[in-house]
Amino acid sequence: MARKTPKQTQAESRRIATTGDIEVSTYLEIAKEISGEQPAVTAEAVSGAEREAVVVIDFGSQYSMLIARRVRECQVYCELLPHDAPWEKIADLNPRGFILSGGPSSVYEPGAPLAPAYIYESHLPILGICYGMQVITKQLGGLVAPGAKREYGHAILHLSDPDSPLFAGLPPSTPVWMSHGDKIEEMPPGFTALAYTENSPIAVMGDGDGIFGLQFHPEVAHTPEGKTILRNFVYRVCGCKGNWTMGNFINESLARIKEQVDGGRVICALSGGVDSAVVATIIHRAIGDQLTCIFVNNGLLRREEVERTLKVFQQNLGMNIRYVDASERFLARLKGVTDPEMKRKVIGEEFIRVFEEEAKKVGRVDFLAQGTLYPDVIESTSSVSTASAKIKTHHNVGGLPARMTLKLLEPLRYLFKDEVRQVGLELGLPEEMVWRQPFPGPGLAIRIIGEVTKEKLEILRSADFIVMNEIKKAKLYRQLWQSFAILTDVKSVGVMGDYRTYGYLIAIRAVTSEDAMTADWARLPYEVLARISSRIVNEVPEVNRVVYDITSKPPSTIEWE
Ligand code: XMP
């Protein structure tokens, strides 16, 4: 069957391409300063002998990034690009199909974003999700109208055409997750309804030639068969082979790093976190001693952290590491500082100083390696600047020496966090490091309310060590986004033996979260809380009271400062 003629004109597509200018974020500006050139978002990361990718065209849905992750879980490389991305950027990826994401707009509103003409002119398969389905409907000559009422939440999808390639392996009826206000009033010519729900007679539509629309969200966990549908689309409709594996990624990455660095020298700041650990390991695997890692001990790390990090990288992996114990310097700079943002500023600035001094000692250096991940890239190129983007921008990049003129080396630039972990494991990093919970750059300084002192750091380290130990013993560590202790500036009265005590109050924070943007307090078993509390008051003499933080984010944040 012949592909429909796109109703969108070239003029229209040009207009779309210029709406919503992409905001160049601070991140890219700083990166440019460092590298002297803007890092290009290219398709270099596509793996396998034969490049293939599915491209998600982003219309601003909160789930857009999730679609890309789901496709990659099917071992098909996927990138998320703005709806006004130029064709050249996409052609480079060798796309096998497009997914049009959901979005907050209504297609019939003036200026609503539409798909560029090349999507239809490419004659590649297209899957429109929610708003994406409405975009297809409008652009190919159907009719979208406001629904009588918003449909939000669970619905049961009934297949009217179980033979559609999209439905292979699906039961006749299956739960799906809906979230839409508009509905398809009239399908474009040549389309038929392939499935329905109680409220949506056209819950899935198709043209019999590779273009599909879904009214529901297959990417969310609430649609249990969603991944099967996406898998069917990428394999059965787009004909992908599925060559996106971390093994392939590593092989290609090693070759690319060798080529890019070409005998030059690279420095990398090691923090003990998973991203910098994986960056350092993959670069070391590629170029060995041409890489020097700088590990700054700011005196704000947790117990045994320095020793553990040095053991893995220096002893086990044989990396070239410059370890700097700068704890006294940081502590001196933090004297009298109580404001949380001032703490961050002081720590960030001092880090740059120490890093620069150490980097000078390395001699000639050409590249600065950085653990930038794909969500950072997406956030920094999207027009919506989120709070989390600011945190990341500030901390991932703010900690770098902007005055140095180095080229950037970012081998993880196209990976999601779970992929980084897989790469770490395949490179032989210890599980403990790969699955480490996030730890903030300013470290324990923002978990001590008020002034940071040596004494308080020791108290917090002891309490924190017990929390970590008990959480790990209870096998809860991986389920929690973060779990830690906070040393408050409250002192309270207690009794020990026959004596009155006047000691510190320690708070315990344990949260579950997907991405740190929102979080819920973890319902830790009482027994675990009891053990943590009892051990802290018994083993840390300065502490006589322990409380558990039971607030979610929002309105609280995860860290107390
Ligand atoms: P909040 O406290 O804002 O934290 O809910 C969200 C996530 O960000 C981490 N965080 C930081 N990370 N430098 C960092 O590198 C910081 O200054 C910082 N502040 C918060 C926090 O641990 C959580 O994972």
Side-chain angles (χ1 to χ4, degrees), residues 110 139 166 226 250 297 330 333 360 516:
Q139 291 185 291
L166 217 50
I250 292 171
N297 177 0
F330 279 85
R333 292 277 325 271
K360 264 193 205 132

Side-chain angles (χ1 to χ4, degrees), residues 106-117:
S106 282
V107 284
Y108 45 78
E109 279 169 1
L114 295 175

Side-chain angles (χ1 to χ4, degrees), residues 224-249:
E225 293 288 352
K227 205 164 154 195
T228 311
I229 296 175
L230 288 171
R231 177 175 283 277
N232 286 338
F233 178 69
V234 298
Y235 283 104
R236 289 173 189 264
V237 182
C238 301
C240 290
K241 298 206 168 56
N243 53 17
W244 176 248
T245 64
M246 290 308 104
N248 280 341
F249 169 82

Side-chain angles (χ1 to χ4, degrees), residues 34-316:
I34 297 170
S35 64
E37 61 197 41
Q38 194 163 305
V41 181
T42 64
E44 284 167 353
V46 180
S47 75
E50 204 182 330
R51 242 175 213 192
E52 61 174 27
V54 166
V55 175
V56 177
I57 300 291
D58 184 20
F59 290 105
S61 159
Q62 55 175 325
Y63 301 129
S64 297
M65 197 141 55
L66 198 54
I67 304 173
R69 273 176 59 187
R70 292 281 175 266
V71 172
R72 288 203 198 174
E73 282 166 16
C74 300
Q75 305 204 313
V76 170
Y77 186 70
C78 183
E79 278 197 27
L80 179 69
L81 289 166
H83 60 82
D84 52 4
W87 168 247
E88 296 70 49
K89 239 181 196 169
I90 287 169
D92 220 25
L93 292 165
N94 196 15
R96 294 290 156 88
F98 292 101
I99 298 180
L100 310 186
S101 85
S105 317
S106 282
V107 284
Y108 45 78
E109 279 169 1
L114 295 175
Y118 61 71
I119 300 275
Y120 303 101
E121 286 166 359
S122 71
H123 291 273
L124 290 168
I126 307 169
L127 178 70
I129 296 176
C130 200
Y131 179 77
M133 177 195 206
Q134 293 152 14
V135 165
I136 292 173
T137 305
K138 171 161 175 158
Q139 291 185 291
L140 298 186
L143 191 66
V144 181
K149 61 173 196 260
R150 259 186 82 77
E151 192 182 7
Y152 184 82
H154 288 289
I156 299 294
L157 184 78
H158 304 284
L159 309 185
S160 3
D161 180 3
D163 295 331
S164 166
L166 217 50
F167 298 151
L170 249 63
S173 301
T174 180
V176 293
W177 183 258
M178 292 283 191
S179 171
H180 64 109
D182 295 341
K183 67 173 185 11
I184 311 297
E185 194 88 346
E186 215 176 277
M187 284 180 283
F191 277 75
T192 52
L194 306 176
Y196 62 94
T197 67
E198 196 182 328
N199 289 321
S200 297
I202 311 166
V204 181
M205 66 177 194
D207 73 339
D209 190 29
I211 304 186
F212 295 92
L214 306 178
Q215 190 59 85
F216 58 90
H217 289 272
E219 68 276 21
V220 302
H222 299 300
T223 302
E225 293 288 352
K227 205 164 154 195
T228 311
I229 296 175
L230 288 171
R231 177 175 283 277
N232 286 338
F233 178 69
V234 298
Y235 283 104
R236 289 173 189 264
V237 182
C238 301
C240 290
K241 298 206 168 56
N243 53 17
W244 176 248
T245 64
M246 290 308 104
N248 280 341
F249 169 82
I250 292 171
N251 289 338
E252 290 221 347
S253 211
L254 293 177
R256 203 168 44 248
I257 293 167
K258 271 187 206 142
E259 192 188 314
Q260 204 179 340
V261 174
D262 187 27
R265 295 199 60 87
V266 182
I267 49 167
C268 175
L270 211 54
S271 72
V274 58
D275 302 343
S276 73
V278 175
V279 164
T281 313
I282 199 163
I283 296 176
H284 180 250
R285 176 81 63 93
I287 59 165
D289 276 351
Q290 284 164 260
L291 168 74
T292 304
C293 290
I294 298 176
F295 178 30
V296 178
N297 177 0
N298 58 11
L300 308 166
L301 302 175
R302 287 166 300 182
R303 182 169 294 168
E304 293 182 3
E305 195 143 24
V306 170
E307 297 78 3
R308 268 205 302 255
T309 308
L310 285 176
K311 184 162 180 263
V312 170
F313 293 103
Q314 219 161 28
Q315 285 180 26
N316 300 5

Side-chain angles (χ1 to χ4, degrees), residues 302 435-440 444 447 460 463-486 507-513 520-522 524 528-529 532 548 558-559:
R302 287 166 300 182
W435 287 103
R436 201 186 82 142
Q437 291 175 353
F439 183 66
L444 300 180
R447 294 179 181 171
L460 182 56
D464 186 71
F465 195 73
I466 294 170
V467 176
M468 172 113 75
N469 192 254
E470 288 299 328
I471 292 288
K472 281 190 174 167
K473 265 191 353 208
K475 305 221 178 317
L476 293 167
Y477 186 78
R478 274 204 210 171
Q479 297 167 33
L480 299 171
W481 175 265
Q482 277 167 300
S483 46
F484 54 90
I486 300 112
I508 308 298
R509 183 86 164 129
V511 296
T512 53
S513 175
D520 198 6
W521 62 278
L524 292 183
V528 175
L529 286 169
I532 289 174
Y548 187 47
I558 296 175
E559 303 291 345

